[in-house]
Each structure stands twice: as structure tokens, then as C-alpha cells.
Amino acid sequence: MTVNGILQIAIFCIAIIALVRPLGGYMTRVFNGDKTFLSPVFRPVERVLYAASGVRPEVEQSWRVYGVAMLLFSLAGSVSLYAIFRLQDILPLNPQGFPALPPELALNTAISFVTNTNWQFYSGESTMSYLSQMIGLTVHNFVSAATGIALAMAIIRGFARRSAKTVGNFWVDLTRCVLYILMPVAIVYALFLIWQGVPQTLAAYVDATTLEGAKQTIAVGPVASQEAIKMLGTNGGGFFNGNSAHPFENPTALSNLIQMISIFSMGAALTNVFGRMVGRERQGWALFGVMGLLFLAGTFIVYPVEAGGNPAIAAMGVDQSVGPGQVGGNMEGKEVRFGIANSSLFTVVTTDTSCGAVNNMHDSLMPLAGMIPLINIQLGEIIFGGVGSGLYGMLMFAIIAVFVAGLMVGRTPEYIGKKLEAREVKMSILAILILPLSILGFTAIATVVPQGIATLTNSGPHGFSEILYAYTSATGNNGSAFAGLGPNMFWQVTMAIAMFMGRFLFIVPMLAVAGSLAAKKIVPPSAGTFPTDNGLFVALLIGVILIVGGLTFFPALALGPVVEHLAMQAGSMF
Amino acid sequence: MMQALRMAVLMLAVMTVITGLAYPLAITGVAQLIFPHEATGSLIKKGDAVIGSSLIGQYFSKPEYFHPRPSAANAPSLEAGAPPAIGYDPLDSGATNLAPSSKKLIENVTAAVKSNQPDNPGRPVPGDLVTASASGLDPDITPDAAEFQVPRVALARNMSEDQVRAMVAKCTKGRTLGFLGEPRTNVLALNLMLDEAAGK
């Protein structure tokens, strides 16, 4: 580790903390339907949109109607994406003449982008036409993110309302999120990225003749417009295969800092939206504190481990030490302009959330550093999390934490003035159990069928980690990879199922909690109420997250990264 | 239910027009107007011919050029019986994805050390020169990796080492704003400058 590296991490943290209240305040006003500085521009657009699609914005929905609307919207999105991919060869804006995607890849990719996962079993630069990138992937980068935030609004209203039958209107939440929050930021952000060097053109790829006389075809495209929302919406699906390591997606150290900030900012601000809507910002800060501590813990494991370099290649006369002209450390799968500190930080940021964009290749991380992204996702991506999904995941854990505290003192648990009864606790547990069910279940299947291990790049314990990472990433809707894993029919279909389970089987019980909370009265706090905005609660919640969320996965982690680490220490290679 | 499905389809259609067409097309128009060079890929031209992009690395093997990092972008050597790796193909960006405990990684690094060590027999080879980048298109090497190659390039070009070093310094960028990122030397810019100095 270097002083400069730690300084960069500190500056990132300060930027996030500084954004929480202004962004949180703005988002609160948007979702409450209050006037904002953008209202004069977007209010008319909003009205036209509702009129065109037959939405009556003043009609509120019960949790069931809200959920059905969300599911139908996701269904429509999956079908249209599948159709776009299958018809790509006859649609316009395809200057490279790419063929249609095969059915299993089209299915996997459609589910992947609708569920905000953005796992990619293809290389964008040699697969996707400009039209598919624009009206296919870019659209779902917007709406899958907006869907996540809308759902978070539904559960926040569940806590904030009393004796209410409704949790909001899905169409209104979705529309406002796109128009007032994602779109304005994306416009400014895309222009910033272009200034830094990200291409934005509809022209065909450029043929160059290199200095040594070789032919190099430079892939370009409408990259910046997609890159902006890819980060902002914690989507993470790259325009190119190299994702945010590709110099055309993330050209400079400055673009890299802004990309990391944009991954975290919405998730961090949503804790503040929660605090404001339930009437006490401290409640939001307590959740922010839990997230912040878990984030720092991950960062300060990955960074020193990666800075230490790979002992296996140090033995070969390779200089991995840090100096004024040398970044040092484990540089396999990393870019010189980012070095170790920014690569390590990006790895933690992208897996704390459901983003999954990468600026370095996780498959080549040292074993213990590579374990951190696995743990981050397996905990449910509640450390700032995916836009929306991070907050509602964290609230599920908060319900369990208060329930555990209630059991200890023998009192009916309350959270934010709502009595938590059997239904809410059962539903929260159900949601949380989806992760181990899908991750461990599919991993077990893949390790025993020949198709499951046919496409691995690495063997030994790291090969197992590749499988575990794939289902962890799919179920957690993250999308990052130990990317040595190649596609075949088995992987494309099972991962589509895992992505579907991870998204929708989590959301339905969560919405049920929102509905049942909204219907409850608010209990005024009394002397016996367990306070949920102080250090004790933060510690308890971290404990519950690590024990309930983390312990389930420990045996699997022991078989992968832990064994690999110990074997490397003993000098074994695979 | 049918009414909700109709709303879902219409809402998706409207969102597609706004976020999938209006937004990227407007950004493209504005970008071509205010950042035409960056928006088309930061291309470097000699006359009318494109010789590359300042952001995308190129493969160099001749002794008179500085060499980039190993690249797995379309590196055919990862497949059995294929010709040796060239990499730097922007149509297939990506990394080796080899584990730190991989024997294949050790083979790759051993081969890279073997081909780089003769440049500067007395010194350990800088790590970035023997490890493949994440994108396979890394345009940069570390200043140490450039310094490591100075004697070879100077000899091949009949220049003094200090003349070459001065050019390395010109093509080396420090941290952005003094603290962001890492110092780096752009290989293509450096090789272009060398060629220009030689009157090519």
C-alpha cells in the first residue's frame, strides 16, 4: 500500500459522503412528487408519457398491483430484447454486418439485462450492432435501474405510511426515476466521458495501419451514452468485452474516479431518502454506517493483498516492488493507468453494489483478494448495493436484526415504529434464503455434470471458484465474472434461471413485506423500544449480516479461494 | 390484467424512444459538434491514413521501438497449436483470466521474462512488462518499463541513451491533479516521436 493509494481511497469516500444529503434530498422531492428545478422541463414530458401509455398517475396501487405491473414490464422487456437480438441482422444501424444472436445467447442476454445483472457471454465489439446496443441494452440499463429504485420506494413507503392500503404507483415511480434522476445525470456524465476520450459515433469501425505496418481495426460506436447509464444504474454491462478496463470505456484516472463515485452515489443517497421519508435522517445514517464499515473492511483486504504481488512470479526475477516509476503489485489483468489502488477499490465498489463493471480482471486477483468480491455479492449486495435493490436488501436484514434483538429481550420487535410480526419476518427470511438456494444449488450441479466444467480456463480450486463466482454473480444480479468461464448451452440456460430467481424471487416477498408494513399503525417509541439509529444497532446489524448472510457460504469459500491460497503458500500450482 | 399488460408494452415503447433513440442520438450529435476528435476515437493520422488511436495500444516487436505489455486480446497462443501471441486486437479486447496459481500463467511470465531480460541483463524486469493487461489494449507502460528498454532502443537507433530518455520523459504523464491514477508512458506516442525525430 502507498500513501497516495490511501489518499485516493479517502478522496473517494469523502466524495460519497458529500453526495448523500444533496442527492438524497433531491430524490426525496422527486418521489414525493414535489416541484424541483427540472420540473418546468420534464413535467410536460411526464404528462405526455402518461397519456401515451394510458397511465393514471393519481391512482395508487396495492403491493400486489404494484408487483404485477413490475413483472409485466419486465416480461415485456425480456420479450422485446430477445426479439431485437434475434432480428439484429435485418435491423438497421449494423455497420459491421453482425449476424443475429443464437437463441440461447439471446435468452441469456435478455434476462441478464432485464434483471440488472448484465452478465455477458459475448464480446460486445464482435457481437452487438449499434442498434442492439442502443434500443436494446441502453434502454434496459435505464429501466432496470429505475425498476430497482421504484421497488425501494415501495418498501420505504411501507415504513413511512400508516394504515395504508397502497404503496405508490409503479409507472409513476419508474417514469420519474428515469426523467428526473437518471436521464439528466446521464446526459452530463456522457458528455464528460466523451471529453475524457470515450467515443460516441454511429460510424463504422476504423481501419488503421500500425507503425509496424500491421492492420488494426479499431472498434468504436455510441459508447459514452451507454457507459454513463451503465455505471449510474449499477448495471455494469460493457459496450466492449474489456468493460471498464477498455481504454474506450474508461480512458483516464479521472474518468475512473467518476465511474466509481457514480456506482455508489445512488445507493448511498437512497439511505438518506429512507431516513427523510420515515421522518428521521439518523435512521438512514445508521444504515449508511453499516454499509460504510463493510465497504472499508473489504477495501483494506483487497488492496494490501494485491499490492503484495504474486509470490510465484516474484521468484522469477520480476520486479513487483513499488517505486516512483513503478506501480508494483499483482499487475496480471490490470491496467497501468489505474495501478493497484484504483483497481482494488473498483473491485470492492463494483461488487458491494450490483454493478459488476470491472476495470481489472477478477479471475487474476490473488486468492484472498478474489474472495472479497465473492463475499460482497453473497451477502446480498447490500453494501450500498444495486440502485434500489441495495436498500431493500439491507432493510430485509434490518428486519431480521431487530427480530433477533426482540428475541433476546423478549419483546415484540419494532422497526421505525412498525411492529414486526411473523409475516414480515418469514417473508424477509424467505427472500434472504433465495441466495444460498440458487448459488449453492447450481454450483453443486455444475461441479458434477461434464457440461459444467467443460468451459473453465483454470483448474484446481480456482476452477471451482470460477463456477461459484458465476452463480454468485448471476443470482446476486451483479454481472462481474471470473471471466475465464466460457459459454455453452448448460451455462447460458442455468445462469438465466439463476438471474431470474435472484431478481424476482427476492422482490416478491420484499413487496409483500412492504404491503403488510404499510397497513400497520405507527407505534410511538417508548422506553422499551430498541433504538435503531445508534452504534449498538449498527454492530448488531453487521453481526446479523455476517452470520446469517455470510456463514452459509463459508464451506464453499473454503473449497475455493481459501484452499487456493493455502496451496500457493505451500508452492503448489495448478 | 390485459390493461396492465397494455400499459407495460406502451410504457416500454415510450421509454425505448426516449432512452434508446432520443438520448444516444442527441449525445452523438452534440459530441460530434463539441468533441469531434474524442468522439470518433482519438485517432492519430499521418496525412489521410489512420495509424491508430492514442488510447489504444499497438503491438511492437522491432528493437527500435518501445514494446508494450503482453496482450491477450485475440492472442491465439491461448488455443492449442496456434501461432505465437500478437494481441492488441480491438475486435477482441480482454485478458488471460489466468489464476495467480495457474501453471499457464507461470509459463507466460517465464517466456516474457526471457524475451525482455536481454534488454537490460543486470536488472529485474518490471512487473507490468511481463503481465498481460485487463483490456489487452493497454496503451501505457510504467516509466520503469520504458527506462528498462532505453538501452535497446538507443542502440538500435544510433542515438544516445539520454536523447531517448528525454523523449520518454515527454511521453510520460504524472498522476492527474497530482494524486489520481499512476504515472504512465504512452507507447504509441513515444514510438511516433522517435520516428519523427528520425525523419520518418
Side-chain angles (χ1 to χ4, degrees), chain B residues 109-194:
Chain B
V109 175
T110 310
V113 170
K114 206 171 152 193
S115 71
N116 279 288
Q117 192 69 72
D119 289 353
N120 214 326
R123 290 176 59 175
V125 186
D128 60 303
L129 265 190
V130 297
T131 49
S133 62
S135 63
L137 303 172
D138 197 341
D140 304 315
I141 51 177
T142 61
D144 272 13
E147 169 61 31
F148 188 85
Q149 302 183 49
V150 164
R152 182 197 74 228
V153 175
L155 188 70
R157 292 200 171 244
N158 249 333
M159 294 166 75
S160 80
E161 291 191 7
D162 283 340
Q163 282 173 309
V164 178
R165 253 180 219 119
M167 289 188 190
V168 171
K170 276 190 195 151
C171 296
T172 299
K173 281 188 188 158
R175 294 192 167 99
T176 310
L177 309 173
F179 67 91
L180 268 181
E182 302 293 340
R184 61 213 183 272
T185 307
N186 186 302
V187 180
L188 178 57
L190 178 55
N191 287 334
L192 262 176
M193 192 182 280
L194 283 164

Side-chain angles (χ1 to χ4, degrees), chain A residues 313-314 316-320 326 329-333 336, chain B residues 67-71 96 98 104-117 124-133 141-142 145 148-149:
Chain A
I313 70 172
M316 297 156 52
V318 173
D319 185 5
Q320 296 185 88
Q326 177 59 42
N330 174 26
M331 282 299 284
E332 180 70 28
V336 167
Chain B
H67 299 168
R69 302 178 62 194
S71 160
T96 65
L98 291 171
K104 174 78 183 146
L105 173 72
I106 300 303
E107 280 169 32
N108 287 357
V109 175
T110 310
V113 170
K114 206 171 152 193
S115 71
N116 279 288
Q117 192 69 72
V125 186
D128 60 303
L129 265 190
V130 297
T131 49
S133 62
I141 51 177
T142 61
F148 188 85
Q149 302 183 49

Side-chain angles (χ1 to χ4, degrees), chain A residues 430-451:
Chain A
L430 190 64
I432 288 168
L433 281 179
I434 293 303
L435 269 109
L437 176 73
S438 168
I439 295 173
L440 299 177
F442 277 117
T443 302
I445 294 169
T447 46
V448 292
V449 301
Q451 295 92 324

Side-chain angles (χ1 to χ4, degrees), chain A residues 4 7-8 11 45 49-50 52-55 68 72-73 75-77 80 123 125-126 134-135 138-140 142-143 171 174-175 178-179 183 186-187 190-191 194-202 205-212 216-220 222 224-226 228-229 240-242 245-248 251 253-254 257 310 312-313 316-319 324-327 331-342 359-361 363-367 457-458 462 466 483-484 564 568 572-574, chain B residues 1 3-21 23-25 27-32 34-35 38-43 46 49-53 55-63 65 67 69 87-111 113 117 123-128 130-145 175-185 188 191-192 195:
Chain A
N4 190 74
L7 175 73
Q8 296 190 57
I11 284 172
V45 183
L49 237 153
Y50 295 146
S53 49
V55 170
V68 167
L72 287 174
F73 185 66
L75 176 74
S80 86
S123 293
E125 60 266 45
S126 56
M134 285 163 52
I135 69 163
T138 303
V139 170
H140 286 277
F142 273 98
V143 296
W171 306 113
L174 178 84
T175 307
V178 169
L179 287 184
M183 183 60 83
I187 289 172
L191 292 173
I194 297 163
W195 171 54
Q196 289 295 297
V198 178
Q200 180 74 24
T201 173
L202 297 177
Y205 294 178
V206 182
D207 283 328
T209 307
T210 69
L211 283 189
E212 289 199 344
Q216 188 184 42
T217 302
I218 299 172
V220 289
S225 54
Q226 188 169 335
I229 189 63
F240 303 109
N241 191 42
H246 195 297
F248 274 167
L254 185 61
L257 175 70
N310 185 343
I313 70 172
M316 297 156 52
V318 173
D319 185 5
Q326 177 59 42
V327 289
M331 282 299 284
E332 180 70 28
K334 293 194 181 62
E335 300 278 300
V336 167
R337 62 193 180 284
F338 305 138
I340 303 294
N342 281 304
N359 81 346
N360 70 103
M361 294 302 150
D363 219 347
S364 297
L365 290 170
M366 295 303 293
T457 292
N458 293 288
H462 199 88
E466 271 180 5
E564 188 189 4
M568 277 189 82
S572 311
M573 304 297 275
F574 300 93
Chain B
M1 193 72 170
Q3 195 201 358
L5 186 61
R6 198 173 138 263
M7 269 184 209
V9 171
L10 288 173
M11 189 58 103
L12 181 67
V14 181
M15 284 294 171
T16 302
V17 172
I18 295 176
T19 65
L21 286 171
Y23 159 71
L25 293 179
I27 297 282
T28 307
V30 174
Q32 293 293 340
I34 56 177
F35 302 117
E38 288 80 1
T40 44
S42 306
L43 301 174
K46 223 179 216 174
V50 178
I51 57 166
S53 162
L55 292 172
I56 301 290
Q58 291 187 358
Y59 178 70
F60 288 98
S61 62
K62 294 181 181 164
Y65 286 121
H67 299 168
R69 302 178 62 194
Y88 288 97
D89 183 352
L91 296 180
D92 191 14
S93 60
T96 65
N97 287 309
L98 291 171
S101 61
S102 154
K103 283 182 181 152
K104 174 78 183 146
L105 173 72
I106 300 303
E107 280 169 32
N108 287 357
V109 175
T110 310
V113 170
Q117 192 69 72
R123 290 176 59 175
V125 186
D128 60 303
V130 297
T131 49
S133 62
S135 63
L137 303 172
D138 197 341
D140 304 315
I141 51 177
T142 61
D144 272 13
R175 294 192 167 99
T176 310
L177 309 173
F179 67 91
L180 268 181
E182 302 293 340
R184 61 213 183 272
T185 307
L188 178 57
N191 287 334
L192 262 176
D195 271 3

Side-chain angles (χ1 to χ4, degrees), chain A residues 311-397:
Chain A
I313 70 172
M316 297 156 52
V318 173
D319 185 5
Q320 296 185 88
S321 59
V322 184
Q326 177 59 42
V327 289
N330 174 26
M331 282 299 284
E332 180 70 28
K334 293 194 181 62
E335 300 278 300
V336 167
R337 62 193 180 284
F338 305 138
I340 303 294
N342 281 304
S343 298
S344 304
L345 182 60
F346 202 110
T347 290
V348 176
V349 167
T350 200
T351 53
D352 277 345
T353 63
S354 77
C355 184
V358 290
N359 81 346
N360 70 103
M361 294 302 150
H362 293 181
D363 219 347
S364 297
L365 290 170
M366 295 303 293
L368 294 183
M371 185 169 71
I372 297 302
L374 272 168
I375 294 176
N376 283 339
I377 306 171
Q378 286 164 351
L379 291 180
E381 288 162 342
I382 37 126
I383 310 172
F384 301 105
V387 286
S389 61
L391 184 77
Y392 62 67
M394 182 58 98
L395 288 172
M396 297 293 104
F397 273 110

Side-chain angles (χ1 to χ4, degrees), chain A residues 75-88 91 100-111 114 136 140:
Chain A
L75 176 74
S78 310
V79 173
S80 86
L81 259 184
Y82 183 84
I84 292 167
F85 297 150
R86 297 286 292 146
L87 298 172
Q88 162 172 294
L91 291 169
L101 272 63
E104 62 275 17
L105 180 61
L107 169 79
N108 183 284
T109 310
I111 300 286
V114 167
H140 286 277

